[in-house]
Amino acid sequence: MFDIDAVRKDFPILSREVNGKPLVYLDSGASAQKPQVVLDTIQRAYAEDYSNVHRGLHTLSTISTENYEAVRGKIADFLGAASEASIVMNTGTTEGINTVAYGWAMPRMEAGDEIVLSVMEHHANIVPWHFLRERMGVKLVWVEPEADGSLPAEKVLEAVTDRTRLIAVTHMSNVLGTVVDVKAITSGAHAKGVPVLVDGSQGAVHMKVDVADIGCDFYAITGHKLYGPSGSGAIYIRPERMAEMRPFMGGGDMIREVHRDEITYNDAPMKFEAGTPGIVAQIGLGAALDWMTGVGMDSIAAHEVSLRDYARERLFGLNWLNVQGDAPGKGAIFSFTLEGAAHAHDISTVLDKKGVAVRAGHHCAGPLMDHLGVTATCRASFAVYNTRSEVDTLVDALELCHELFA
Ligand code: PLP
């Protein structure tokens, strides 16, 4: 049984005030707050169990390695991956997608090959592909969302040609909240022999993910949005794709032997994890995933659907507010601008005075901003710990903005 009061009590920061008002944190799409168990795990990992991993034979190194490596299995379970050997641990989605761009795409693609992207992608799932465009002449093929922000799988598949080498698409838009049918995209793409990379930065936070069911080739997640520490994350890589990859970063841990004229690599997935990893961040991510699993992904999703419905009703009720995107089944993320001259930054500043934290700007989604014909929006992004009364506080604060700027 989902108990919002118990959930909120797990997050110490939610009891603080901002500008003399109770904090209403609606910026979890940028980074989520951390439950006490994650904070305790970090403290313990440093205070009691800390040492470098993998290379030591002493007790603390063994404990630290066990705690760190246990997270690989937790991530595999969380994502529905059949084997933890499919999980490359890293600092988050940006590193995950760059690993695919440098390690899988660059050695395999040539000038004129195509990568299909949606216009809704975050820069993390755009810029690495621009590198291939700039440096190798790979062509980026863009698919626009519909007017309501939805992205039909057929539309993405229609963009596939015999030069398409990859479809790279988000599971959930960080600006519009649109949830993309990545399973339908993957099955259609695979029928044409095209691999699919899914940016799961937002999707994995809000719904149960099963990479085996989706069937995708790559699924990237970022720990700090999953109630875990910043600098933690992972990418699921399908075994066939992993076998095709060459290492992206070189250094310790990813090698087996190094000589003057020769090197041999470690087995995958370690082959793609160079240098001392974010040991404690990753151990903290393990605690965050355990926490989410304890609450239950179905309960988290159901709570957020109810919040989305309530926020949708209240925000669309404000006829001076331009809410961007209203795709069926979208997540609890709302981007908006205010009629009149008020800039998103001004709105965000006024909201902050009322204790309401939202994000204002381009949300690292330049092509989507161009498509929407705006330079910036305000974004309220909801999480497991938000409440309907916080939606009301947001609406009250927006009404104040309307009075000030109308
Ligand atoms: N993709 C999406 C959809 C995101 O929302 C974000 C973060 O805002 C990222 C990628 C990048 O994540 P990170 O900066 O943690 O690598």
Side-chain angles (χ1 to χ4, degrees), residues 26 174-176 311 314-316 318 320-325 330 332-339 342-348 351 356-361 363 369 372 374-382 391 394-395 397-399 401:
L26 302 181
N174 65 314
V175 177
L176 305 177
R314 298 271 356 240
L315 294 173
F316 277 93
L318 306 172
W320 36 264
L321 197 72
N322 297 319
V323 183
Q324 302 282 357
K330 68 171 261 169
I333 293 181
F334 295 87
S335 285
F336 48 81
T337 52
L338 212 74
E339 254 171 35
H343 189 276
H345 289 172
D346 299 327
I347 301 169
S348 153
L351 296 187
V356 181
V358 297
R359 186 141 296 250
H363 314 296
M369 295 293 120
L372 296 172
V374 295
T375 51
T377 69
C378 269
R379 178 187 70 183
S381 51
F382 293 83
V391 175
L394 168 68
V395 170
L398 285 172
E399 275 165 346
C401 290

Side-chain angles (χ1 to χ4, degrees), residues 152-165:
E154 315 81 72
K155 205 170 168 183
V156 175
L157 294 170
E158 273 163 20
V160 172
T161 71
D162 59 1
R163 293 305 302 265
T164 307
R165 298 289 172 262

Side-chain angles (χ1 to χ4, degrees), residues 29-30 91-95 97 121-125 170 172-174 199 201-202 222-225 363-364 379:
T91 56
T93 296
T94 301
E95 185 180 338
I97 297 179
E121 300 312 309
H122 185 282
H123 294 167
N125 197 23
T170 190
M172 178 173 171
S173 160
N174 65 314
D199 175 350
S201 304
Q202 301 288 340
T222 203
H224 65 97
K225 296 185 205 284
H363 314 296
C364 291
R379 178 187 70 183

Side-chain angles (χ1 to χ4, degrees), residues 142-155:
W142 296 94
V143 183
E144 293 185 352
E146 303 290 285
D148 67 355
S150 55
L151 185 73
E154 315 81 72
K155 205 170 168 183

Side-chain angles (χ1 to χ4, degrees), residues 117 126-135 138 140 142 367:
L117 300 170
I126 296 177
V127 180
W129 310 123
H130 264 299
F131 289 167
L132 273 72
R133 180 192 59 75
E134 274 184 350
R135 298 171 194 180
V138 166
L140 306 187
W142 296 94

